[in-house]
Amino acid sequence: MSSVDIGIDLGTANTIITIGGKGVVVDEPSVVAYDKKKRQVLAVGEEAYKMLGRTPEYIVAVKPLKDGVISDNDTTEAMVAAFIKKVSSSMMLKPRIILCVPSLITDVENRAVIEAALSAGARKVFIIKEPIAALIGAGVDVSQAKGAMVVDIGGGTTDIAVTSFNGIVQDTSIKMAGNKLDEAIIKYISAKYKIIIGEKTAEQAKIQIANVYHPDPNKKMIVKGRSLLRGLPESLEISETDAYEAIIDLVNEIIAGIKNVLEHTPPELVGDILASSIVLTGGGALLKGLDKLIQEVIGAPCYVANDPLKCVAKGVEAAFGLSDELLDGFEKISLYRYK
């Protein structure tokens, strides 16, 4: 990977950027703050994230990606451009960029991502599918004629795939992941306790007390929000059981997706997976008890990759060194020349 090669894991929740031999140089929320009066971007990333739910009416802090794909082209382009400028301001040459996208992205969505990178100043843009990048980043050799299975749970999508010999044999992409779990916690607390909490609070609850395998009702945390009945500030103690009841139906959707992919996978490759384990990557892999629940329901060993949050980004960085091998008869990476 040269000094003008940039890898971007453009996620719904976070954008992670790697650059020539330096590893991860940016890991910030995929958020843009926009001033509607001045019609200009005020901040991106961490700075914009701090503004969520705290801005006057004329300033909006938005997440331009939804369910793993671009929902607002202009703000996404501005965000990508700002991040690229941040890491390549001293570069004399336009960078080559490799972008990571969900496995079942449409041609229209694919083109929107590519145009955002080209408009931001890329010389060439490569596209790699998330499951391949996740497995490479987790240290799995995807070049072998041997089945490997990954469940990459991000902020907007869960990508599930079985790979063999540099290719995706069977895959699916579910628009249900970390953000939907946060929404489920908000909805549950609102319905049960008549208190509305914010996105950040729900996310903290998910991280601290969500346990999908034998939750402990004695493990609790305090959340703060607004009473729906009185309209006043109120705090509440919730337990692992509350978080479990809020999200278990959505977690079961992920497990159903795993079952569906396995049902359509050749038996020989399923045998390989039984021997080598299902790999969990992405922020959702850190959900307490998820690996144990999957192992119990599916009947195949399952483990969380080392540093699951950075697996895709590491795979994107490594993909430049494998581009000749992957491009040779490998349809999941496409090359678009700068125009």
Side-chain angles (χ1 to χ4, degrees):
M1 192 173 184
S2 74
S3 60
V4 287
D5 285 342
I6 296 175
I8 302 178
D9 173 16
L10 194 60
T12 304
N14 282 69
T15 293
I16 302 176
I17 297 179
T18 58
I19 192 169
K22 297 179 182 178
V24 175
V25 293
V26 169
D27 181 2
E28 297 189 28
S30 300
V31 183
V32 177
Y34 183 77
D35 187 325
K36 291 191 289 185
K37 285 185 178 179
K38 296 181 180 179
R39 295 185 178 180
Q40 66 182 32
V41 173
L42 296 178
V44 299
E46 192 66 49
E47 190 179 346
Y49 179 74
K50 293 176 183 177
M51 299 181 186
L52 281 174
R54 300 174 183 271
T55 59
E57 192 177 274
Y58 63 90
I59 295 176
V60 290
V62 298
K63 297 179 178 180
L65 288 100
K66 185 177 182 181
D67 297 332
V69 295
I70 293 174
S71 59
D72 188 323
N73 287 355
D74 292 338
T75 51
T76 300
E77 188 176 309
M79 182 179 73
V80 171
F83 283 140
I84 291 175
K85 184 178 180 181
K86 186 174 183 178
V87 301
S88 64
S89 56
S90 61
M91 292 181 183
M92 298 296 291
L93 298 174
K94 288 179 179 287
R96 292 193 308 168
I97 292 178
I98 187 165
L99 283 161
C100 195
V101 296
S103 57
L104 298 184
I105 192 171
T106 66
D107 289 340
V108 173
E109 293 165 342
N110 208 37
R111 194 67 211 173
V113 175
I114 294 161
E115 287 178 353
L118 291 174
S119 298
R123 174 165 50 97
K124 291 181 181 178
V125 180
F126 294 80
I127 295 294
I128 186 171
K129 302 294 184 179
E130 276 185 18
I132 292 294
L135 282 172
I136 293 172
V140 177
D141 185 357
V142 297
S143 68
Q144 299 295 313
K146 180 181 178 182
M149 186 172 200
V150 64
V151 181
D152 179 53
I153 309 170
T157 60
T158 295
D159 286 282
I160 305 165
V162 173
T163 69
S164 178
F165 204 57
N166 282 334
I168 294 176
V169 178
Q170 189 66 42
D171 67 337
T172 190
S173 185
I174 304 171
K175 293 189 176 182
M176 200 299 298
N179 291 350
K180 287 291 194 329
L181 298 180
D182 297 342
E183 291 171 12
I185 291 172
I186 292 172
K187 185 176 179 181
Y188 179 88
I189 292 175
S190 174
K192 185 174 181 179
Y193 297 108
K194 302 297 183 285
I195 292 176
I196 185 74
I197 62 172
E199 290 179 28
K200 292 182 182 178
T201 302
E203 185 179 19
Q204 284 303 311
K206 178 183 66 179
I207 293 169
Q208 292 183 33
I209 62 165
N211 181 359
V212 295
Y213 190 76
H214 302 319
D216 183 353
N218 296 315
K219 289 188 178 180
K220 301 179 179 181
M221 73 172 284
I222 293 175
V223 296
K224 297 176 182 179
R226 185 180 74 246
S227 169
L228 289 173
L229 301 177
R230 300 187 299 136
L232 299 175
E234 193 166 325
S235 61
L236 168 74
E237 193 173 58
I238 61 172
S239 68
E240 279 193 356
T241 304
D242 286 316
Y244 173 86
E245 291 176 354
I247 66 175
I248 190 59
D249 288 343
L250 299 182
V251 171
N252 284 333
E253 285 185 31
I254 295 175
I255 294 175
I258 296 171
K259 287 180 179 178
N260 181 58
V261 169
L262 287 172
E263 285 171 0
H264 294 86
T265 299
E268 291 82 0
L269 298 183
V270 174
D272 292 337
I273 293 164
L274 283 171
S276 63
S277 302
I278 298 169
V279 185
L280 297 183
T281 63
L286 296 172
L287 190 61
K288 190 176 178 182
L290 181 60
D291 54 338
K292 294 176 182 177
L293 180 63
I294 291 173
Q295 185 165 316
E296 182 178 280
V297 175
I298 300 298
C302 180
Y303 72 93
V304 179
N306 291 328
D307 197 7
L309 284 165
K310 300 285 197 323
C311 276
V312 171
K314 289 177 180 177
V316 170
E317 181 181 19
F320 272 113
L322 301 170
S323 60
D324 291 339
E325 179 182 342
L326 293 173
L327 280 167
D328 185 15
F330 184 66
E331 297 178 354
K332 296 300 178 183
I333 293 184
S334 303
L335 174 62
Y336 295 81
R337 296 194 176 278
Y338 178 73
K339 295 181 180 179

